[in-house]
Amino acid sequence: MLISLQLDSAVPLYEQLRNEIVLGIAKGKLPIGEKLPTVRQLAEDLGINTMTVNKAYALLKQEGYIVIDRRHGAKVSGQLAHPIHAEYEAALEKNLELMIAEAVVHGMTHEQFQKLCENTFSQMNIQS
Amino acid sequence: MLMSIIFTIPTIILFLVIVLTYRSVATYKNGMLFAVTLPPEAMEHPELQQVQSQYKQQYKRVWLSMLIAYIPFFAMYNWTAFQIIYFLLWTCTFVIVVVFPFRRAFRATLELKRQQDWFVGKKHTIQADLRAAQLKNKRTAPLGLFILPLALGALLTWWIGTQDTQLYSLGFGAIGITLLFLVIMQLIRRSKSTVYSENSDINIALNQSKRRSLSYLFFFLALIENLHFYLIAMLLLNEQEAMSQLWLAVTISFSILPILLIAGVYRSIQTVQRDMLELDGQTVYSDDDEYWANGFTYHNPYDKSIMVPKRVGIGETINTGTTAGKIIMGGVVVLLVAVIGGVSFMLIRSELTSPSLTITAEHDIAIDYPMYSFTFDMEEIEEVELVTSIPSGAKANGEATNKYARGHFRLSELGKTRLYVFKNNPPYIRLKLSDQYVFYNDIDPEVTKQLFEQIEQAIEAAK
């Protein structure tokens, strides 16, 4: 799978990297159990600091998207379709509240928003 | 005159390489024309086609006039020092002026691109393929293979030692070049994988095959260069003038082999790339133009790679935005200036100075001449004679033109000899020492005779 990072974006590189990997997992480009490159390999290939990649991996591990095994390296976690944490649901609701508020202020209708959600969901296709 | 022809062999090689390289920039390939990335539709634009035809005219004018400008080189065959300096000047001029039509075309193309908004791909993006990052070196030749050329180099060094210990540096040169290739191989292994396409399988295949081809290329180059040093050794060890010229021609012509090998391998790498990407169609583009300010120089401080594929020609070029890149570039420039400046200086100095022989108060004979001065005790002299001819031979380390010979030579019948003579200008003072001969004369035969008498008297007085 391809990772694309924008150097002049307001979003920091480690966050972009984390986002790309999450998107990759959801869209099926990174199947469950797929091995990820080591921190050093990825940093070398992207030409960025190892600390940046380290931060991204640490974040992903903390959020449960990947597991890091000392011997085998980083892998996409097999535990993804587990029951939703209450914390995660609360945070999601908060983010949605803001997004929907903005959409409503911009004049978006309920149906339009639903359509948008459906389209986006249909792009997701977790592979195992 | 024969030497002029032998010296022209590297000229021919250089000329062909440069002419072919700058001819290829005028065709649209790898999504680029005149080292500017363009979409295929741009090629239909009449102004761009005009830039192309103008370039072809100007570029032809340049190489034709440089070809004609080379002719005086042959006319100077009797003044070797100036001939060599003319050769260096011609080469520097050629390398510089051939760029002028290219720069003009490059600027015009870039300007047109901006006007027509022909941008291709995203700017300021860095990309990586996760699978290629892990698998890129799977098919690369193992580093252990380099033990073979290293062993060859060691064998060569030992063999040279048995022939003449003065030439050890040749063996070290062979080993040094092998080590250099080893270092380059390591750099290639550690370099980042290239993202060619959205398709991961293609990225893996192309990265693996390029690294495989390059690793075996450098391995064979290491072997070939050891052979090359062997040829140089044969050149320096032989004693006959005719064979000398043959070995020189062979050694110089031999350099066409690595050049052809490199061109061939890169050509096949590019063909594989083109074929795979044509089939696939998901090629990934990026617009790096701002980092290629001159078209053929790459300066990108955001890119950590030290070497990137060239836009003009074959191979990789240095990224002057990295510290290592700056050091390498600086080192190469310094080396070039030092060699060209140094050689020119030495040549002019040789033309203008002559050796001088003095008998010192301590009963030594001191021959003074830049780089080849020689002092020895008169007691070492076994024989001294005034002769009218010098046996033929070959130069081991020194200067030899139509007019004079100075330095270390290997003469038939006599073996190791030091010469400090003006050729075809008898008589010559011949001194036999325990391990070598020495020939000396002055441009004025009368002075030579006087020196000879002085030496004879000094030997008598010492007894």
Side-chain angles (χ1 to χ4, degrees):
Chain A
M1 127 160 199
L2 233 61
I3 300 253
S4 210
L5 306 177
Q6 289 284 97
L7 285 173
D8 44 11
S9 162
V11 181
L13 285 179
Y14 80 90
E15 206 176 307
Q16 289 186 47
L17 183 54
R18 174 250 178 219
N19 293 343
E20 289 275 300
I21 291 183
V22 170
L23 280 168
I25 298 175
K27 293 191 178 172
K29 296 201 193 140
L30 275 177
I32 307 252
E34 164 113 344
K35 203 160 167 292
L36 291 173
T38 63
V39 170
R40 176 135 33 111
Q41 275 173 338
L42 191 52
E44 234 171 50
D45 254 58
L46 283 167
I48 58 181
N49 207 322
T50 40
M51 292 210 307
T52 313
V53 180
N54 226 341
K55 217 164 159 185
Y57 274 28
L59 190 53
L60 287 163
K61 175 177 170 194
Q62 188 190 37
E63 294 172 329
Y65 294 103
I66 65 175
V67 288
I68 303 186
D69 178 342
R70 278 257 295 268
R71 270 193 307 150
H72 301 295
K75 279 199 305 194
V76 175
S77 168
Q79 298 279 48
L80 285 179
H82 54 312
I84 305 175
H85 287 216
E87 282 183 25
Y88 173 69
E89 197 165 358
L92 178 61
E93 204 174 324
K94 200 143 181 259
N95 283 333
L96 268 176
E97 193 180 12
L98 182 57
M99 267 196 266
I100 296 179
E102 286 172 356
V104 164
V105 170
H106 274 103
M108 206 177 227
T109 68
H110 192 175
E111 287 84 34
Q112 283 172 324
F113 196 83
Q114 290 271 62
K115 196 91 211 296
L116 198 56
C117 285
E118 262 172 49
N119 288 342
T120 310
F121 258 92
S122 64
Q123 283 175 32
M124 304 300 163
N125 184 15
I126 299 187
Q127 295 286 341
S128 43
Chain B
M1 196 50 178
L2 187 59
M3 286 309 266
S4 304
I5 297 179
I6 294 180
F7 280 143
T8 307
I9 298 177
T11 314
I12 296 176
I13 297 177
L14 177 81
F15 185 78
L16 284 174
V17 168
I18 290 191
V19 162
L20 289 174
T21 302
Y22 278 95
R23 193 178 69 162
S24 68
V25 293
T27 24
Y28 180 69
K29 60 175 177 107
N30 296 336
M32 288 191 289
L33 181 73
F34 298 122
V36 176
T37 48
L38 295 171
E41 315 85 69
M43 294 312 295
E44 315 288 322
H45 199 278
E47 259 187 73
L48 196 61
Q49 292 175 344
Q50 205 184 21
V51 172
Q52 265 179 310
S53 58
Q54 246 189 358
Y55 173 80
K56 285 184 180 149
Q57 265 181 0
Q58 289 171 349
Y59 148 86
K60 183 169 189 175
R61 225 179 288 152
V62 162
W63 68 253
L64 211 55
S65 42
M66 285 314 290
L67 201 59
I68 296 174
Y70 189 72
I71 294 177
F73 174 82
F74 291 104
M76 301 166 103
Y77 69 92
N78 226 4
W79 299 278
T80 314
F82 297 109
Q83 195 185 35
I84 296 182
I85 293 180
Y86 186 77
F87 170 77
L88 290 173
L89 274 172
W90 182 88
T91 309
C92 293
T93 312
F94 186 31
V95 170
I96 293 174
V97 300
V98 80
V99 175
F100 291 159
F102 169 75
R103 288 197 82 173
R104 213 166 290 154
F106 169 72
R107 294 238 171 85
T109 312
L110 205 56
E111 187 53 45
L112 207 54
K113 173 175 175 174
R114 290 214 178 100
Q115 277 176 15
Q116 305 286 324
D117 205 19
W118 279 330
F119 287 95
V120 190
K122 303 180 254 179
K123 301 178 123 212
H124 298 167
T125 325
I126 41 182
Q127 298 181 314
D129 182 312
L130 292 181
R131 287 233 199 101
Q134 298 171 66
L135 300 174
K136 59 193 178 187
N137 284 323
K138 274 263 147 52
R139 293 178 63 208
T140 316
L143 280 180
L145 265 187
F146 275 82
I147 294 197
L148 193 56
L150 280 176
L152 229 65
L155 191 68
L156 183 69
T157 312
W158 169 81
W159 174 77
I160 288 179
T162 63
Q163 302 289 312
D164 181 354
T165 51
Q166 264 188 346
L167 296 179
Y168 264 137
S169 51
L170 272 185
F172 296 147
I175 296 181
I177 295 248
T178 307
L179 288 175
L180 179 68
F181 287 156
L182 194 60
V183 166
I184 292 179
M185 255 337 291
Q186 257 305 73
L187 285 177
I188 291 179
R189 275 180 150 251
R190 286 180 30 182
S191 65
K192 53 164 115 158
S193 57
T194 316
V195 174
Y196 296 97
S197 151
E198 306 258 349
N199 184 335
S200 218
D201 291 327
I202 291 198
N203 285 330
I204 296 175
L206 287 179
N207 273 287
Q208 283 182 347
S209 86
K210 176 170 183 178
R211 279 154 198 254
R212 181 187 176 80
S213 302
L214 288 184
S215 57
Y216 281 103
L217 170 67
F218 278 106
F219 167 67
F220 279 115
L221 284 181
L223 288 177
I224 287 180
E225 286 309 301
N226 274 292
L227 180 58
H228 209 170
F229 273 93
Y230 170 73
L231 291 178
I232 298 179
M234 291 309 281
L235 167 65
L236 295 181
L237 286 173
N238 98 95
E239 300 184 0
Q240 301 168 295
E241 197 164 344
M243 285 303 283
S244 211
Q245 290 171 336
L246 179 65
W247 279 119
L248 187 62
V250 167
T251 306
I252 294 180
S253 311
F254 192 79
S255 37
I256 197 96
L257 202 59
I259 292 177
L260 286 179
L261 217 65
I262 293 174
V265 168
Y266 268 94
R267 191 64 40 106
S268 83
I269 291 177
Q270 281 175 3
T271 314
V272 169
Q273 271 177 25
R274 204 185 41 229
D275 291 346
M276 269 213 171
L277 289 175
E278 249 170 36
L279 267 156
D280 164 61
Q282 292 178 49
T283 315
V284 163
Y285 295 100
S286 64
D287 203 304
D288 277 350
D289 278 356
E290 67 194 286
Y291 305 121
W292 294 88
N294 289 315
F296 55 89
T297 54
Y298 183 69
H299 181 89
N300 185 356
Y302 301 119
D303 187 353
K304 284 206 184 157
S305 337
I306 300 178
M307 314 242 286
V308 296
K310 285 185 189 170
R311 279 197 173 187
V312 175
I314 290 180
E316 330 284 313
T317 192
I318 305 274
N319 177 3
T320 44
T322 57
T323 9
K326 288 190 179 98
I327 296 176
I328 295 177
M329 197 51 119
V332 167
V333 169
V334 164
L335 192 68
L336 213 66
V337 168
V339 166
I340 294 184
V343 167
S344 305
F345 168 72
M346 291 200 311
L347 285 170
I348 298 184
R349 186 179 60 179
S350 304
E351 274 296 309
L352 302 177
T353 27
S354 315
S356 70
L357 187 149
T358 35
I359 305 175
T360 68
E362 297 89 31
H363 286 280
D364 290 336
I365 294 202
I367 302 180
D368 191 34
Y369 184 69
M371 292 205 305
Y372 298 103
S373 296
F374 186 41
T375 309
F376 54 94
D377 197 323
M378 290 187 86
E379 309 213 342
E380 288 182 43
I381 304 179
E382 292 177 11
E383 269 176 36
V384 58
E385 270 190 60
L386 203 60
V387 296
T388 49
S389 71
I390 306 181
S392 64
K395 181 179 77 171
N397 178 6
E399 305 164 0
T401 71
N402 281 353
K403 297 197 206 140
Y404 54 72
R406 295 150 183 179
H408 304 266
F409 291 74
R410 228 175 274 275
L411 303 182
S412 51
E413 299 160 30
L414 302 181
K416 272 176 107 175
T417 312
R418 283 182 185 249
L419 298 180
Y420 300 93
V421 298
F422 289 87
K423 289 186 182 178
N424 304 316
N425 187 30
Y428 311 96
I429 302 175
R430 186 182 77 181
L431 296 147
K432 180 171 193 285
L433 304 181
S434 54
D435 57 346
Q436 59 188 302
Y437 280 82
V438 180
F439 283 78
Y440 182 94
N441 76 347
D442 190 277
I443 194 151
D444 181 353
E446 287 308 314
V447 174
T448 312
K449 288 186 190 145
Q450 282 175 17
L451 274 173
F452 174 68
E453 278 157 25
Q454 285 177 16
I455 295 176
E456 274 193 320
Q457 286 168 5
I459 295 182
E460 279 304 310
K463 283 197 186 144

